[in-house]
Amino acid sequence: DAKTTQPNSMESNEEEPVHLPCNHSTISGTDYIHWYRQLPSQGPEYVIHGLTSNVNNRMASLAIAEDRKSSTLILHRATLRDAAVYYCIPVSNTDKLIFGTGTRLQVFP
Amino acid sequence: EAGVVQSPRYKIIEKKQPVAFWCNPISGHNTLYWYLQNLGQGPELLIRYENEEAVDDSQLPKDRFSAERLKGVDSTLKIQPAELGDSAVYLCASSFGLAGEEETQYFGPGTRLLVL
């Protein structure tokens, strides 16, 4: 299973962009990179996933490095509701999610 | 569409007592997961079902934990007897179970267990 490294915490002001980094240097060539987030007192929720190309959806964008050893989750305009723990998870064909400790994002008004 | 439903949301018991958690997955989802989340940590998989079959229970402490998924829909996770160290949040998740590495899991709100 690929190991991931994420900063323990990050801070942002409301309505500013946030770039959440993740290193996954041992990722295998067929693993997809998934991001989930967990709001306080809730279960994790899916944010976005990708393989090689950058991906966009209504929640966020995912920028994947060309060598796939790192990726960045981009929240274009942070809101107070985006305060959560963000998990970066390489997923193989077993679709098993192995969570690390994630990045706790604080958003200030 | 209703999400994953879990009950109870909170449970306080004394050590050595039994406890059970219930999960109703999203309609049509074939795969069901139970996770354990300790404070400050990410969730850890306990058991995974594909329909009625437990296909990965390698992390389930089988001396005190048991789970079942009758008729391939609802599931129950039981602890008997509970220990102080079992205090944690127990999360249930479900997925269609067909998309492999692109599969998305949908989580319930969890049951917060406190063992005194």
Side-chain angles (χ1 to χ4, degrees):
Chain A
D1 300 320
K3 299 275 189 234
T4 60
T5 303
Q6 297 180 255
N8 288 331
S9 63
M10 292 185 66
E11 298 177 353
S12 174
N13 293 318
E14 212 175 0
E15 298 193 6
E16 290 185 353
V18 181
H19 290 231
L20 297 163
C22 179
N23 286 322
H24 32 76
S25 57
T26 60
I27 194 170
S28 87
T30 56
D31 288 356
Y32 276 70
I33 299 153
H34 287 239
W35 284 79
Y36 281 73
R37 72 179 185 179
Q38 189 169 19
L39 279 63
S41 300
Q42 296 188 27
E45 67 172 341
Y46 167 81
V47 178
I48 199 167
H49 76 281
L51 182 62
T52 56
S53 304
N54 295 343
V55 185
N56 301 294
N57 67 19
R58 64 175 179 81
M59 290 180 71
S61 295
L62 177 59
I64 301 171
E66 196 169 338
D67 63 7
R68 293 192 2 103
K69 292 185 177 181
S70 65
S71 61
T72 301
L73 181 71
I74 302 165
L75 307 179
H76 295 285
R77 291 182 65 193
T79 69
L80 296 178
R81 292 191 61 212
D82 291 322
V85 178
Y86 287 78
Y87 297 98
C88 158
I89 308 171
V91 178
S92 70
N93 59 4
T94 65
D95 69 52
K96 190 170 181 177
L97 295 182
I98 300 175
F99 289 82
T101 52
T103 296
R104 180 173 299 278
L105 175 66
Q106 290 183 281
V107 181
F108 298 105
Chain B
E1 177 184 299
V4 175
V5 179
Q6 290 189 247
S7 70
R9 290 294 313 276
Y10 304 93
K11 189 74 176 179
I12 301 174
I13 61 171
E14 293 188 347
K15 63 181 180 182
K16 301 186 182 178
Q17 294 300 305
V19 65
F21 314 122
W22 175 80
C23 174
N24 179 241
I26 292 173
S27 178
H29 280 194
N30 299 311
T31 304
L32 183 146
Y33 313 78
W34 282 102
Y35 289 85
L36 162 70
Q37 186 171 25
N38 287 307
L39 191 63
Q41 303 295 313
E44 301 170 39
L45 181 69
L46 288 173
I47 190 168
R48 168 186 166 155
Y49 282 92
E50 289 183 7
N51 299 307
E52 300 92 349
E53 184 181 357
V55 297
D56 183 356
D57 63 356
S58 57
Q59 300 302 311
L60 188 73
K62 298 180 184 64
D63 57 336
R64 297 183 300 106
F65 286 65
S66 64
E68 60 182 10
R69 190 183 184 198
L70 300 176
K71 300 182 181 179
V73 182
D74 295 0
S75 178
T76 303
L77 177 69
K78 298 178 182 177
I79 309 175
Q80 182 170 7
E83 297 179 351
L84 296 177
D86 296 331
S87 296
V89 175
Y90 292 82
L91 293 159
C92 180
S94 69
S95 69
F96 280 112
L98 301 174
E101 54 270 89
E102 291 201 78
E103 192 68 67
T104 297
Q105 294 186 24
Y106 298 83
F107 286 79
T111 296
R112 187 174 298 273
L113 173 67
L114 179 60
V115 182
L116 302 176

